[in-house]
Amino acid sequence: MTLQLDERQRAMLAEMGIKLWLPKAAPATPETVAASADQAGAGARFDSEPVQPAAAAPSIARAAAAPSSPRPRPVAPSEGATPAPESRSAMALGPRPEGVADMDWLQLEATVAACRACGLCAGRTQTVFGVGARSADWMVIGEAPGENEDRQGQPFVGQAGKLLDAMLAAIGLSRQVESASESIAARADQAGAEGQKGLKRGVYIANVLKCRPPGNRNPQPDEIAQCEPYLRRQVALVQPKIILAMGRFAVQSLLQTTEPIGRLRGRVHTYEGVPVIVTYHPAYLLRALPDKAKAWQDLCLALEVMGGQDGR
Ligand code: URA
């Protein structure tokens, strides 16, 4: 697949720090990408690890290893309103709510806001549920809220979020719900996959964890396990045609693997029947400039997969 980029998209790629050598080279075949990916490092948890772009980061024990929780009684959404900061340390944990797999958006969002199923509830300002078009074809899955996200209640609002938005814009996607209305999406279809004329298709963005780990530490397996049903339900409700998994915690927990990102990129995986493209976390890319080109290859692969699905 050859991408025709207009000036605006070229500017966005420049903003991402990507030089335009890519479309001329054979784009992102699984073989070529996997070969270079093996030398590349896995994504690092944002702000928390020194970056060594050429070295593989250690893999983590996954949620798969975590014991499954007993089926506890349901938690009414009203039970768990966000506490005042001074009362946080006294906050008691509760069971993981039942019935998540059958919830609608309203119930799910309220249940997440009230969740006390792991210790992260004690330190959060608020839960970070997700943002964007709830019927989008594209879904981005990140790791966990950071400080800014915890404060604002939206995923990817810091510097990493800016880079993510630039990456998405470069392939004609926007988290702005109004850009993703039916008529705009139809016009974007006419304009082509690259969203020429500034029209963008919607994307839904969520994280594996809905609460901020203190000090931006790595998510723990038990936290991922407790939160996992929420993300699973979000995916079921959105019914995306493709998932971009960003960063090793997102990737490894979706794919239930301990393989590093460098070895998972360049192929199409699946989660709940949805194609998954693995790529680096934007926060990692902010510090590992050479890997931005690889992230662009990943986006090209995702476009290719989408092109195969709906002709775009
Ligand atoms: N990193 C993530 O993975 N998610 C966010 O929401 C913010 C930073």
Side-chain angles (χ1 to χ4, degrees), residues 43-74:
R45 169 81 180 139
F46 53 99
D47 304 336
S48 62
E49 293 172 7
V51 176
Q52 294 167 337
S59 42
I60 57 161
R62 291 290 65 222
S68 58
S69 317
R71 279 300 198 172
R73 72 173 178 85

Coordinates of all heavy atoms in Angstrom, one line a residue, residues 43-74:
G43 N 8.4 -1.1 24.6 CA 8.1 0.2 25.1 C 8.3 0.3 26.6 O 8.4 -0.7 27.3
A44 N 8.6 1.5 27.0 CA 8.8 1.7 28.5 C 7.6 2.3 29.1 O 6.9 3.1 28.4 CB 10.0 2.5 28.7
R45 N 7.3 2.1 30.3 CA 6.2 2.8 31.0 C 6.6 4.2 31.0 O 7.7 4.6 31.4 CB 6.0 2.2 32.4 CG 5.1 2.9 33.3 CD 3.7 2.6 33.0 NE 2.9 3.4 33.9 CZ 1.7 4.0 33.6 NH1 1.3 3.9 32.4 NH2 1.1 4.7 34.5
F46 N 5.6 5.1 30.6 CA 6.0 6.5 30.5 C 6.6 7.1 31.8 O 6.2 6.7 32.9 CB 4.8 7.3 30.0 CG 3.5 7.1 30.9 CD1 3.2 8.0 31.9 CD2 2.7 6.0 30.7 CE1 2.1 7.8 32.6 CE2 1.6 5.8 31.4 CZ 1.3 6.7 32.4
D47 N 7.5 7.9 31.6 CA 8.2 8.6 32.7 C 8.9 7.8 33.8 O 9.5 8.3 34.7 CB 7.2 9.5 33.5 CG 6.5 10.4 32.7 OD1 7.0 10.8 31.6 OD2 5.4 10.9 33.1
S48 N 8.8 6.5 33.6 CA 9.3 5.7 34.8 C 10.6 4.9 34.5 O 11.1 4.4 35.5 CB 8.2 4.7 35.2 OG 7.9 3.8 34.2
E49 N 11.0 4.8 33.3 CA 12.2 4.0 33.1 C 13.1 4.7 32.2 O 12.7 5.5 31.3 CB 11.8 2.7 32.3 CG 10.9 1.8 33.2 CD 10.4 0.6 32.4 OE1 10.8 0.5 31.2 OE2 9.5 -0.1 32.9
P50 N 14.4 4.5 32.4 CA 15.4 5.1 31.4 C 15.2 4.5 30.1 O 14.9 3.3 30.0 CB 16.7 4.8 32.0 CG 16.5 3.6 33.0 CD 15.1 3.7 33.4
V51 N 15.4 5.2 29.0 CA 15.2 4.7 27.7 C 16.5 4.2 27.1 O 17.5 4.8 27.1 CB 14.7 5.8 26.7 CG1 14.5 5.2 25.3 CG2 13.3 6.2 27.2
Q52 N 16.4 2.9 26.7 CA 17.6 2.4 26.0 C 17.0 1.8 24.7 O 16.7 0.6 24.6 CB 18.2 1.3 26.8 CG 18.8 1.8 28.1 CD 19.2 0.8 29.1 OE1 18.6 -0.3 29.1 NE2 20.1 1.1 29.9
P53 N 16.9 2.6 23.7 CA 16.2 2.2 22.5 C 16.6 0.9 21.9 O 15.9 0.2 21.3 CB 16.4 3.4 21.5 CG 16.7 4.5 22.4 CD 17.4 4.0 23.6
A54 N 17.9 0.6 22.0 CA 18.4 -0.5 21.3 C 18.3 -1.8 22.1 O 18.6 -2.9 21.7 CB 19.8 -0.3 20.7
A55 N 17.9 -1.6 23.4 CA 18.0 -2.8 24.2 C 16.6 -3.3 24.6 O 15.7 -2.5 24.8 CB 18.7 -2.5 25.5
A56 N 16.4 -4.5 24.7 CA 15.0 -5.0 25.0 C 14.8 -4.8 26.5 O 15.6 -5.0 27.3 CB 15.0 -6.5 24.7
A57 N 13.6 -4.2 26.7 CA 13.2 -4.0 28.1 C 12.8 -5.3 28.7 O 12.3 -6.2 28.0 CB 12.1 -3.0 28.2
P58 N 12.9 -5.5 30.0 CA 12.5 -6.8 30.6 C 11.0 -7.0 30.4 O 10.2 -6.0 30.4 CB 12.8 -6.6 32.0 CG 12.9 -5.2 32.3 CD 13.3 -4.5 31.0
S59 N 10.6 -8.2 30.2 CA 9.1 -8.4 30.1 C 8.6 -8.6 31.5 O 9.3 -8.8 32.5 CB 8.9 -9.7 29.3 OG 9.8 -10.7 29.6
I60 N 7.3 -8.5 31.6 CA 6.6 -8.5 32.9 C 5.7 -9.8 33.1 O 5.3 -10.4 32.1 CB 5.8 -7.3 33.1 CG1 4.7 -7.2 32.0 CG2 6.6 -6.1 33.2 CD1 3.6 -6.3 32.4
A61 N 5.5 -10.1 34.3 CA 4.5 -11.2 34.5 C 3.1 -10.6 34.2 O 2.8 -9.4 34.5 CB 4.5 -11.6 36.0
R62 N 2.3 -11.3 33.5 CA 1.1 -10.8 33.0 C -0.1 -11.1 33.9 O 0.0 -11.9 34.8 CB 0.8 -11.4 31.6 CG 1.7 -11.0 30.6 CD 1.6 -9.6 30.1 NE 1.9 -8.6 31.1 CZ 1.2 -7.5 31.2 NH1 0.2 -7.3 30.5 NH2 1.6 -6.6 32.1
A63 N -1.2 -10.5 33.5 CA -2.4 -10.7 34.2 C -2.8 -12.2 34.2 O -3.5 -12.6 35.1 CB -3.5 -9.9 33.6
A64 N -2.3 -12.9 33.2 CA -2.7 -14.3 33.1 C -2.2 -15.0 34.3 O -2.8 -16.0 34.7 CB -2.0 -14.9 31.8
A65 N -1.1 -14.5 34.9 CA -0.6 -15.2 36.1 C -1.3 -14.8 37.3 O -1.2 -15.5 38.4 CB 0.9 -14.8 36.2
A66 N -2.2 -13.8 37.3 CA -2.8 -13.4 38.5 C -4.0 -14.3 38.8 O -4.7 -14.8 37.9 CB -3.4 -12.0 38.3
P67 N -4.2 -14.6 40.0 CA -5.3 -15.5 40.3 C -6.7 -14.8 40.0 O -6.8 -13.6 40.1 CB -5.2 -15.6 41.9 CG -4.4 -14.4 42.3 CD -3.6 -14.0 41.2
S68 N -7.6 -15.6 39.5 CA -8.9 -15.0 39.1 C -9.7 -14.8 40.4 O -9.6 -15.6 41.3 CB -9.7 -15.9 38.2 OG -9.8 -17.1 38.8
S69 N -10.4 -13.7 40.4 CA -11.1 -13.3 41.6 C -12.4 -14.1 41.8 O -13.0 -14.5 40.8 CB -11.5 -11.9 41.6 OG -10.5 -11.1 41.1
P70 N -12.8 -14.4 43.0 CA -14.1 -15.0 43.2 C -15.2 -14.1 42.7 O -15.0 -12.9 42.6 CB -14.2 -15.2 44.7 CG -13.2 -14.2 45.3 CD -12.2 -14.0 44.2
R71 N -16.3 -14.6 42.3 CA -17.4 -13.8 41.8 C -18.1 -13.1 43.0 O -18.9 -13.7 43.7 CB -18.5 -14.6 41.1 CG -18.1 -14.9 39.7 CD -17.9 -13.6 38.9 NE -18.0 -13.8 37.5 CZ -18.0 -12.9 36.7 NH1 -18.0 -11.6 37.1 NH2 -18.0 -13.1 35.4
P72 N -17.8 -11.8 43.3 CA -18.4 -11.2 44.4 C -19.8 -10.5 44.1 O -20.2 -10.6 43.0 CB -17.4 -10.1 44.7 CG -16.8 -9.8 43.4 CD -17.0 -11.0 42.5
R73 N -20.3 -10.0 45.2 CA -21.6 -9.3 45.0 C -21.4 -8.1 44.1 O -20.3 -7.5 44.1 CB -22.2 -8.9 46.4 CG -21.4 -7.8 47.0 CD -22.0 -7.3 48.3 NE -21.2 -6.2 48.8 CZ -21.3 -4.9 48.5 NH1 -22.2 -4.6 47.6 NH2 -20.5 -4.0 49.0
P74 N -22.5 -7.6 43.4 CA -22.3 -6.4 42.6 C -22.1 -5.2 43.5 O -22.6 -5.1 44.6 CB -23.7 -6.3 41.9 CG -24.5 -7.5 42.3 CD -23.7 -8.2 43.4

